Amino acid sequence: MEIERKFLLSSLPEQFNTYEAIEMEQGYLITDGCTLRIRRAGEECYLTLKQKSGNTLSRGVAIENEEYETEIPRQAYEAMKQLVVGGFVTKTRTRIPYLNHVIEVDVFHGALEGLVFAEIEYLDREDAQTLPLPSWFSKDVSSDKRFRNTKLRLMEEEEIRDFLTEIGQIALVL
């Protein structure tokens, strides 16, 4: 079970460039009913199945998902790339330790250049309702479907520009 929330940022945390960062590429094989994703994170490759549990939490809108992930050989990843529907999302993910958790800040590349947001995964439902948020978090966008990678990969260039202007994220580009 995965319980997570997504946030826009008012700024990047201090010493952002000193934290662990990894280049990622991911695409989707299935997005209807559940998602089946392939991801390359640095030199490692994964196949991930996610299905919404349908539950949301009372504080904020944290989403619960059933998630199953397995590492796959690079050649399997490369073979599955041709099956991806709707293109790939590329990003740099920076992992920031925070109160016994890890905040993952995603800085997007390519057509999504200028988009930056953070995700935090919780230990359980109680944790999701009580963990204080860092001061550099702004709006909770967990329930906004536009922030799902399955949606982002399908956006057209003009739609992306309008989206970035609307959320004010262009200013956070590194």
Side-chain angles (χ1 to χ4, degrees):
M1 178 67 67
E2 168 191 73
I3 302 173
E4 68 181 6
R5 290 169 72 188
K6 292 183 182 184
F7 294 88
L8 293 178
L9 307 178
S10 57
S11 64
L12 292 171
E14 288 184 27
Q15 302 177 345
F16 179 73
N17 292 326
T18 65
Y19 295 104
E20 173 192 356
I22 192 161
E23 298 302 315
M24 302 178 99
E25 172 186 75
Q26 63 190 51
Y28 294 84
L29 307 172
I30 299 172
T31 59
D32 189 22
C34 66
T35 60
L36 184 62
R37 170 185 77 205
I38 57 171
R39 172 185 281 167
R40 182 188 46 74
E43 296 302 313
E44 297 174 346
C45 299
Y46 300 92
L47 179 67
T48 305
L49 176 67
K50 272 191 181 190
Q51 185 163 354
K52 298 266 181 246
S53 71
N55 295 329
T56 58
L57 302 178
S58 58
R59 179 178 170 247
V61 286
I63 305 300
E64 290 184 10
N65 295 305
E66 294 291 334
E67 181 177 84
Y68 306 95
E69 183 169 78
T70 188
E71 190 169 352
I72 59 174
R74 179 69 180 251
Q75 55 270 43
Y77 174 82
E78 294 297 332
M80 285 188 260
K81 282 178 76 168
Q82 64 187 327
L83 303 173
V84 166
V85 178
F88 287 85
V89 171
T90 57
K91 58 190 174 184
T92 302
R93 173 164 285 173
T94 302
R95 297 174 49 85
I96 302 168
Y98 178 75
L99 301 178
N100 297 319
H101 293 71
V102 174
I103 295 172
E104 297 176 331
V105 175
D106 288 342
V107 177
F108 289 80
H109 305 297
L112 294 166
E113 193 77 38
L115 178 59
V116 179
F117 62 75
E119 294 181 359
I120 186 165
E121 191 169 323
Y122 297 94
L123 305 173
D124 55 35
R125 298 180 108 216
E126 181 181 341
D127 184 45
Q129 296 180 14
T130 59
L131 183 72
L133 300 174
S135 61
W136 42 276
F137 276 23
S138 65
K139 183 179 179 183
D140 185 333
V141 294
S142 303
S143 65
D144 188 335
K145 293 179 182 182
R146 297 176 301 173
F147 289 91
R148 293 183 185 155
N149 288 307
T150 55
K151 302 295 183 195
L152 290 170
R153 79 192 201 297
L154 299 174
M155 285 185 169
E156 299 291 332
E157 189 175 327
E158 184 176 328
E159 190 178 10
I160 292 166
R161 276 196 314 269
D162 292 346
F163 177 58
L164 292 173
T165 300
E166 175 191 337
I167 64 173
Q169 285 287 281
I170 296 171
L172 281 181
V173 175
L174 300 177

